[in-house]
Amino acid sequence: MREKRWKGCLAVALAVVAMLGCGSGCERRSREAEPKGAGESGRQESQRYTCGMHPWIVADEPGNCPICGMALTLVEPMPEAAPSAAAPAAEEDFFADMGAAPAGDRKILHYRNPMNPDVTSPVPMKDEMGMDYVPVYADEVAGGGGVVEGRAAVRLSGESLTAAGVRTEAAVHATIDRTVRTVGIVLADETRVRHVHTKVDGWVETLHVNFQGQNVEKGTPILSLYSPTLLASQEEFLRARAMAGELAAGGDREGKRLGEQLVAAARRRLELFDVPAGFIDELARSGAARREVTLNAPVAGFVTAKNIFEGQQVSPGVELFVVTDLSRVWIEAD
């Protein structure tokens, strides 16, 4: 019985050794059969790392820049271009993706400050932070594909554009329409506000507009005014008419023309004092000067300010009313 148990254990041990030997052998043969460049080492060899401040520093493994100490960043693969008749070498492909030719075949024009591209130097040097100036090559300025003079084109992958927040859209003809809900204050249109003044001294006999907020129409009476100036202008107008009649009766053509000019000048004086045309016509028909002259509203609108009362003395500097046309208003929105 003990001999049988010992033989069974020996058989199990031999089977385990055989399996281990086959696994290591198969694994060794699999590694030997795997083509060069495949697997993890092949993926690492296809990756390149460069310094953001010194792009000519290129490494096959992650690390730090030997110049500024910054961590090297992975160079993302660019979209493949159409194959050409003669494919460039691997090094030339990399620099072509970066928008430049290999450093060995490139001509350096000058060196620029890594933080301020406008600061340049004809020879290599360091800035105040100890960082080396970046060389600027001739193909970057003249043949780099840039549309701005003195600048080179930079190619970015789709992932880089997305990370930078760059969005593009085709230009189209369309109507821009957007509704904005906000708070605003309704104000009078400043181009439709009229301040009403009298152009002569006098006293208010009758007010036809008695309260603020009253609506008035253009040409309707607003007040009756007694003014010595207006009374004298009426008498002057009547005398001019009488003289014109006498000159016309004499048969003298020149005298008639002079009389007509005197009447026109006297009428014009009343009109400049804002005396209504209807009042002047009635004055010419009746031939008698009136103590009160009724002034009319110059514009239509609402009385938004009233600063006078009946019996009050007024002068050209006193504001009588403010009439505002509210048919169109402004809104000051926040």
Side-chain angles (χ1 to χ4, degrees):
M1 181 64 67
R2 292 180 179 177
E3 183 178 356
K4 291 180 179 180
R5 187 179 296 112
W6 180 84
K7 290 181 178 181
C9 293
L10 180 60
V12 172
L14 292 175
V16 171
V17 172
M19 292 176 61
L20 293 176
C22 178
S24 60
C26 292
E27 181 179 1
R28 187 179 303 108
R29 286 190 299 273
S30 175
R31 290 179 179 176
E32 292 176 356
E34 184 177 0
K36 184 178 181 181
E40 186 66 24
S41 60
R43 287 192 296 268
Q44 290 181 357
E45 290 179 358
S46 64
Q47 294 179 346
R48 294 177 179 271
Y49 299 84
T50 183
C51 175
M53 302 302 299
H54 306 91
W56 62 90
I57 301 298
V58 181
D60 296 334
E61 297 179 354
N64 295 330
C65 176
I67 299 177
C68 61
M70 295 177 59
L72 301 180
T73 57
L74 177 64
V75 178
E76 298 181 1
M78 301 301 297
E80 295 183 359
S84 58
E91 189 70 16
E92 294 177 352
D93 282 341
F94 171 73
F95 282 104
D97 287 340
M98 297 297 290
D105 301 334
R106 306 170 71 189
K107 177 182 178 181
I108 297 178
L109 296 180
H110 55 265
Y111 298 83
R112 66 170 179 83
N113 189 302
M115 305 304 295
N116 186 0
D118 295 331
V119 179
T120 61
S121 170
V123 296
M125 60 179 301
K126 296 181 180 292
D127 63 1
E128 60 274 6
M129 301 176 59
M131 301 175 62
D132 291 337
Y133 272 40
V134 179
V136 177
Y137 297 95
D139 57 352
E140 293 179 347
V141 176
V147 297
V148 179
E149 183 179 357
R151 297 293 184 267
V154 177
R155 300 176 59 190
L156 298 176
S157 64
E159 293 79 4
S160 300
L161 292 175
T162 303
V166 177
R167 298 177 58 185
T168 60
E169 187 71 21
V172 297
H173 287 280
T175 301
I176 299 177
D177 186 10
R178 187 178 69 169
T179 301
V180 178
R181 299 179 61 88
T182 183
V183 178
I185 301 176
V186 179
L187 300 174
D189 184 348
E190 294 181 0
T191 63
R192 295 172 177 250
V193 178
R194 178 69 177 268
H195 294 256
V196 180
H197 294 256
T198 179
K199 296 178 179 177
V200 294
D201 295 327
W203 286 262
V204 177
E205 296 289 331
T206 305
L207 271 180
H208 301 283
V209 177
N210 296 317
F211 59 90
Q212 185 174 341
Q214 184 175 348
N215 187 20
V216 297
E217 297 294 333
K218 182 178 181 179
T220 58
I222 55 174
L223 61 85
S224 296
L225 182 71
Y226 163 68
S227 171
T229 303
L230 292 180
L231 185 59
S233 297
Q234 293 179 66
E235 294 174 349
E236 180 182 348
F237 174 73
L238 294 176
R239 287 195 299 269
R241 282 179 56 84
M243 183 179 296
E246 294 176 358
L247 293 175
D252 184 4
R253 173 179 272 179
E254 185 65 24
K256 181 180 178 180
R257 188 178 64 83
L258 178 60
E260 292 176 351
Q261 291 178 351
L262 291 175
V263 173
R267 184 183 181 95
R268 181 60 176 167
R269 177 181 175 86
L270 290 172
E271 291 175 349
L272 292 176
F273 286 149
D274 291 337
V275 177
F279 183 91
I280 300 175
D281 294 339
E282 178 63 23
L283 175 64
R285 187 188 62 81
S286 64
R290 299 178 57 179
R291 181 176 184 275
E292 298 178 9
V293 177
T294 301
L295 303 181
N296 297 333
V299 293
F302 291 88
V303 178
T304 54
K306 172 181 171 292
N307 303 316
I308 60 169
F309 299 90
E310 290 185 354
Q312 181 178 341
Q313 182 180 7
V314 296
S315 62
V318 176
E319 181 181 82
L320 307 181
F321 304 98
V322 177
V323 181
T324 306
D325 181 6
L326 298 179
S327 61
R328 186 179 68 188
V329 296
W330 289 353
I331 296 180
E332 288 189 356
D334 296 331

